[in-house]
Amino acid sequence: MKNLFLLCLLALVTIKTFGQTKTDSAKIVHKTYADYNDLQQQRNSDKIVSTHMVDTVLGFKAIIPAWFKLRETGSDWTLGGMLPAVDGIENVIMIKAFPKKDYVDMAAFKDFIIGTWTFGTHPKWSAEHVCYGIKDMEDVPGIGKSYSASNFWQNHIYTCKYVLAESKTAFLWIDFTATPNTYELNLPKFDEFLKGLKLL
């Protein structure tokens, strides 16, 4: 009797699973793309709502929303793209990874990115940027500490939100860069991007 009950239960579970597959599941597409431009064109033509990417080398996975236009960065250590234009200005989100062997710990990595920013000085990562200010912000749950930064580069002022994170294999600098006029308008999109980011 027990075996008959388990067999019937197994049959019901199997039927339910097949039913969900046909009606409730997302369509998964596995394709190879020539480059990020090809990926973007296919996302648009196939009406793909989101793309899931996993980078096991750098230790994170991300949901790439349809509004996020991936761009070639020239580095295997950087994922980047543009947000939809606001008044003709496209803001940027980048995940920049750094090998763990290059920094003793998160404090050393933070010192390289944030350091002791004071007005008019250069950050340690660039001789071209000029610091205008930085302040601590809230932690991003499951990711890391965030900071609001302002800097000057190529005759423009930029307002940024930086999130510093540590995966199993790398330190990550998640960088949202905007103009002062577009920062608040696109900050919700950056927050949405962060909700789809998981450290491995």
Side-chain angles (χ1 to χ4, degrees):
M1 184 68 174
K2 282 184 182 178
N3 289 341
L4 181 60
F5 176 74
L6 287 175
L7 184 60
C8 289
L9 185 60
L10 181 60
L12 287 174
V13 169
T14 304
I15 291 169
K16 178 67 175 163
T17 302
F18 286 138
Q20 286 178 339
T21 302
K22 288 184 175 181
T23 60
D24 299 336
S25 66
K27 180 180 177 186
I28 299 174
V29 178
H30 295 278
K31 290 186 176 179
T32 303
Y33 303 96
D35 56 25
Y36 283 138
N37 290 332
D38 183 34
L39 168 62
Q40 194 66 39
Q41 288 173 350
Q42 291 297 316
R43 286 175 66 182
N44 292 337
S45 67
D46 293 344
K47 296 182 172 69
I48 295 173
V49 175
S50 64
T51 304
H52 296 247
M53 69 150 302
V54 178
D55 192 321
T56 56
V57 174
L58 302 180
F60 69 89
K61 62 181 179 178
I63 297 172
I64 309 298
W67 50 258
F68 188 67
K69 292 186 281 185
L70 289 166
R71 294 286 187 245
E72 294 287 347
T73 63
S75 170
D76 292 339
W77 290 84
T78 305
L79 170 77
M82 311 296 278
L83 284 74
V86 175
D87 295 329
I89 298 169
E90 293 182 313
N91 297 158
V92 174
I93 297 174
M94 297 183 81
I95 300 175
K96 306 168 194 174
F98 299 80
K100 278 190 147 180
K101 65 178 180 57
D102 293 352
Y103 301 92
V104 175
D105 55 17
M106 176 55 92
F109 178 66
K110 177 186 170 192
D111 182 61
F112 173 69
I113 303 299
I114 306 298
T116 53
W117 277 37
T118 55
F119 183 82
T121 63
H122 297 286
K124 293 179 180 179
W125 45 266
S126 173
E128 298 175 7
H129 290 71
V130 177
C131 303
Y132 272 25
I134 193 156
K135 68 177 182 176
D136 286 4
M137 295 181 72
E138 71 287 346
D139 287 351
V140 177
I143 307 283
K145 180 73 180 156
S146 69
Y147 304 86
S148 174
S150 181
N151 61 58
F152 182 80
W153 181 63
Q154 294 186 346
N155 295 321
H156 296 286
I157 296 172
Y158 294 96
T159 303
C160 309
K161 184 172 181 180
Y162 298 155
V163 181
L164 303 184
E166 181 177 1
S167 74
K168 290 181 181 176
T169 56
F171 291 108
L172 305 175
W173 173 13
I174 306 153
D175 175 2
F176 165 55
T177 297
T179 64
N181 293 336
T182 59
Y183 179 83
E184 290 296 331
L185 296 171
N186 273 327
L187 187 58
K189 285 202 180 316
F190 182 57
D191 291 338
E192 178 186 339
F193 181 85
L194 290 174
K195 285 179 184 170
L197 185 66
K198 301 286 183 252
L199 302 177
L200 302 177

